């Protein structure tokens, strides 16, 4: 009871702080807020904290505290929830896929609502600010003596800059791999990347309108040469804004799919120009506006710091398995205490290929089954992945007891994934639909479910695997023990394989699935194993300590280097760039101090845990399995694509379960096709025969956009639906139809 009350209190505090932060953004454009805020600033100037301290406490600290509480909540939240039997109708309706489009992907009702609210906020903010400007319009007395339309255009361009500021305040949150908001809502990192893309596009669109409108007015008034290179002592620094805009446009242009997929290195390196963008944004807008966007920057830098420290020590690849479709499974060591949930991802860097490039891959193993190792499956179709494939293929294929004399050092970052396994434990049955390399996360899910240590899990599972060539069947090798035990009471797995580009093959599933070669590596005498991203309490304490240190340093430096007014006066202003330099210096100094402390602690722990890697536990799994006739009992279809309407109709009847989860991972067209079926079924547009058999009710929808870049990185999609199909529901539905007919 005490723990439940604590979780309820923490959730209430998070919601309250989020509402307070959002309310500040809504009220900031109004005259009431402007008047009250000026009074608060005048009162704060003569205090110990000063106006900068007030800006930080009001504009930045609420959302920073909200993230800290979120980490505490994750620490006390149970990893597994009891299976639910009923779903609120509101949650189900908001989770329905209502938009299926090739340009935006699949959007749920909840996502559409959030996007609509954000657009309404931007329109409200722009309208209120421009209306207040036009009410005070005196063009003839303005600095540049503008005409009416010139004044209106100039003020509108200025307000577009504030819309860009609102987008920047949220821009970095979606790409934080371990931030609490996405873990709490079950949104995976790959899903949130598209939110980052949308926010970045909107931000630079507004910033371009802001800069182009201002430059246009300067050109009309023949002031372009005088203003464009000016670095003012107070107020807006125009040159800094121009540099920030140019850098932002360079980052945006090099992130286009045409550049990102063909020239990934250009995309990767130019994205690090965000440091220059943020610094010159501060010089352009000033400290007050910077504190509005500081929370995302602050938490992003701390998270980046933790990622660097975690991935600093290198480990070695234990072994690799080569599949005939030019894919490899890489087995890596891990600490026994490192636990992760299915569908988690890790980022790896191999210095012998590139010293700077990091690439993400889905984890194919389960921490509930493998205590000392974890594995990823990589489809080699890019320059980076091909280099790794060639490096492994050149090594001799040896027996399990032998070793090669070469070690491949690798840095590991992660894992990142959902905070709990709720999306598995709440279903009676699972329908898994995979295409190509998209089967990788399902391997982790199946091993997790089959683990005897799980308390609640689906008992009946059907895996529909679509591939171009039959050699892709070998990827299922890690779950051969599960495929051969298809009739146990605890776990029933049925496999349906569809090979689309082959008419027929003499090879059976049993023969194809064992076409795997294994390579073992010498790992050296001493190395370290990945031990995770850190506990939630540790991350909360680091964020709290760093924010307090930054606040203390900024206040101290302001008193030392800036004059402290004896009386509050709105006319007393310090040099803008000097105030900004104090913020930058305080920020970087606090980050350096916390980096030294955290690195020392992590280094001390890693030295205590260093040990000689023993990979004998994984050799059992890497060895070849004998042919088993049970494998050939599964369905294998050549030259055909699956009929999803037929599969979705029969599966609930075959399982007899009342709650069936549907997870999809694969090519975009396949995902959109299944999402369309779910969307139409929720709206009642399925055919009469299917409508008699099925009653779809969408429960959750998570999109992870599939993106193949030049490095072979594959980002997968997951769609979760709930299919309700009980005999009582069908009988009630038939009775209602008979009554309507009468």
């Amino acid at each position: 009871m005490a723990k439940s009350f604590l979780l309820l209190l923490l959730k209430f505090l998070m919601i309250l702080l989020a509402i307070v932060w959002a309310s500040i953004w809504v009220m900031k454009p109004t005259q009431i807020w402007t008047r009250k805020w000026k009074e608060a600033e005048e009162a704060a100037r003569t205090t110990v904290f000063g106006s900068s301290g007030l800006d930080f406490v009001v504009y930045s600290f609420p959302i920073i505290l909200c993230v800290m509480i979120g980490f505490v909540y994750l620490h006390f939240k149970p990893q597994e929830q009891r299976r639910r039997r009923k779903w609120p109708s509101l949650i189900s309706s908001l989770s329905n896929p209502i938009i299926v489009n090739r340009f935006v992907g699949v959007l749920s009702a909840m996502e559409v609502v959030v996007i609509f609210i954000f657009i309404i906020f931007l329109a409200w903010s722009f309208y209120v600010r421009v209306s207040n400007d036009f009410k005070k319009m005196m063009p003839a007395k303005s600095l540049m003596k503008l005409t009416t339309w010139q004044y209106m255009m100039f003020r509108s361009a200025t307000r577009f800059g504030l819309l860009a500021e609102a987008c920047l305040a949220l821009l970095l949150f979606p790409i934080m791999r371990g931030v609490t908001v996405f873990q709490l809502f079950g949104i995976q990192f790959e899903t949130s990347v598209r939110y980052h893309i949308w926010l970045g596009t909107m931000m630079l669109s507004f910033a371009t309108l802001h800069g182009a409108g201002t430059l246009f007015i300067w050109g009309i008034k023949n002031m372009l040469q005088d203003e464009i290179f000016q670095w003012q002592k107070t107020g807006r620094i125009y040159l800094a804004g121009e540099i920030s805009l140019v850098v932002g446009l360079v980052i945006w242009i090099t992130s286009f799919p045409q550049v990102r997929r063909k020239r990934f290195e250009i995309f990767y390196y130019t994205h690090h120009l965000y440091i220059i963008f943020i610094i010159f944004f501060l010089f352009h807008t000033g400290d007050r506006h910077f504190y509005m966007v500081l929370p995302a920057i602050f938490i992003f830098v701390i998270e980046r710091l933790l990622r660097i420290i975690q991935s600093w020590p290198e480990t070695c690849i234990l072994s690799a398995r080569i599949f005939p479709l030019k894919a490899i499974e890489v087995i890596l060591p891990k600490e026994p205490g490192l636990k992760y949930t299915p569908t988690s991802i890790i980022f790896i860097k191999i210095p012998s290929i590139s010293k700077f490039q990091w690439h993400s891959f889905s984890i194919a193993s389960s921490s509930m089954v493998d205590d000392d190792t974890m594995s990823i499956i990589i489809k080699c179709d890019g320059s980076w992945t091909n280099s790794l494939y060639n490096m492994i293929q050149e090594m001799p294929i040896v027996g399990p007891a032998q070793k090669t004399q070469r070690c491949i050092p690798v840095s590991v970052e992660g894992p990142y994934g959902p905070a709990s396994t709720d999306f598995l434990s709440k279903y009676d049955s699972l329908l898994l639909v995979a295409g190509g390399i998209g089967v990788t996360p399902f391997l982790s899910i199946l091993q997790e479910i089959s683990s005897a240590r799980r308390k609640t899990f689906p008992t009946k599972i059907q895996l529909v695997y679509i591939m171009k060539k039959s050699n892709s069947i070998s990827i299922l090798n890690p779950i051969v023990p599960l495929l051969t035990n298809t009739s146990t009471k605890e776990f029933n797995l049925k496999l349906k394989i569809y090979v689309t580009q082959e008419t027929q093959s003499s090879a059976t599933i049993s023969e194809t699935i064992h076409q795997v070669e294994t390579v073992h590596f010498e790992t050296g005498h001493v190395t370290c194993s990945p031990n995770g991203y850190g506990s939630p309490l540790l991350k909360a304490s680091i964020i709290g300590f760093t924010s307090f240190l930054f606040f203390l340093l900024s206040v101290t430096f302001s008193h030392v280097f800036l004059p402290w007014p004896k009386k509050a006066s709105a006319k007393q202003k310090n040099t803008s760039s000097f105030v900004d330099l104090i913020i930058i210096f305080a920020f970087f100094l606090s980050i350096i101090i916390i980096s030294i402390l955290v690195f020392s602690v992590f280094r001390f722990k890693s030295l205590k845990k260093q040990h000689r890697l023993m990979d004998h536990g994984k050799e059992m799994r890497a060895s070849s399995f004998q042919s088993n006739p049970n494998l050939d009992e599964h369905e294998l279809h050549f030259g055909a694509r699956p009929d999803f309407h037929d599969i979705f109709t029969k599966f609930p009847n075959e399982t007899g379960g009342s709650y069936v989860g549907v997870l999809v991972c694969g090519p975009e067209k396949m995902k959109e096709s299944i999402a369309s079926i779910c969307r139409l079924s929720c709206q009642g547009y399925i055919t009469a025969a299917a409508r008699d058999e099925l009653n779809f009710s969408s429960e959750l929808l998570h999109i992870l956009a599939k993106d193949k870049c030049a490095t072979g990185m594959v980002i997968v999609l997951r769609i979760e639906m709930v299919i309700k199909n009980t005999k009582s529901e069908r009988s009630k539905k038939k009775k209602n139809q008979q009554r309507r007919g009468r």
Side-chain angles (χ1 to χ4, degrees), residues 642-698:
D643 186 349
F644 292 121
H645 284 282
D646 183 64
I647 293 174
F648 277 40
T649 300
K650 293 180 179 180
F651 182 68
N653 294 328
E654 295 173 355
T655 59
S658 57
Y659 283 89
V660 180
V662 180
L663 284 76
V664 184
C665 179
E668 201 68 34
K669 291 183 178 180
M670 185 188 75
K671 295 181 291 186
E672 293 175 1
S673 175
I674 296 178
S676 298
I677 295 174
C678 297
R679 177 174 58 87
L680 294 175
S681 63
C682 295
Q683 297 174 356
Y685 294 121
I686 290 294
T687 60
R691 197 183 306 120
D692 290 338
E693 297 294 333
L694 293 177
N695 177 22
F696 286 86
S697 175
S698 165

Side-chain angles (χ1 to χ4, degrees), residues 455-525:
K455 298 180 180 179
T456 59
F457 53 85
T459 56
K460 296 182 179 181
I461 301 174
Q462 184 175 116
L463 173 59
V464 181
Y465 187 21
I466 304 102
M467 63 192 69
K468 294 180 179 180
K469 302 292 183 179
S470 59
N471 56 11
S472 297
I473 299 177
S474 59
I475 291 184
L476 300 177
N477 188 279
I479 59 170
V480 166
L482 308 182
L483 295 173
T484 54
N485 300 325
T486 58
S487 59
T488 60
K489 294 181 179 180
E490 294 82 7
F491 184 77
N492 187 295
L493 174 61
K494 184 177 181 180
L495 176 64
K496 291 184 178 181
I497 298 177
Y498 293 84
V499 183
T500 60
Q501 294 186 2
E502 291 182 4
T503 56
Q504 193 63 39
S505 175
S506 58
T508 62
I509 295 178
S510 179
E511 294 172 348
T512 309
I513 205 169
H514 294 309
Q515 296 177 358
V516 181
E517 297 176 337
T518 304
V519 178
H520 298 273
F521 298 93
E522 176 62 46
T523 58
H525 293 285

Side-chain angles (χ1 to χ4, degrees), residues 13-14 17-18 20-21 55-72 169 173 176 179-181 290-300 302 539-551 587:
L13 291 175
M14 282 190 293
L17 289 169
V20 168
W21 193 61
D55 291 335
F56 177 79
V57 171
V58 175
Y59 290 144
S60 303
F61 192 67
I63 197 65
I64 294 177
L65 182 60
C66 182
V67 173
M68 293 169 55
I69 295 175
F71 281 122
V72 178
F173 278 111
M176 298 181 192
V179 77
T180 55
V181 62
F290 184 73
Y291 280 115
M292 294 292 294
V293 303
L294 177 63
I297 299 172
F298 190 84
I299 299 173
F300 175 80
I302 294 177
K539 288 183 278 190
S541 60
I542 291 174
I543 292 175
F545 179 76
T546 309
S547 60
F548 173 77
L549 185 61
F550 168 73
F551 176 76
F587 183 82

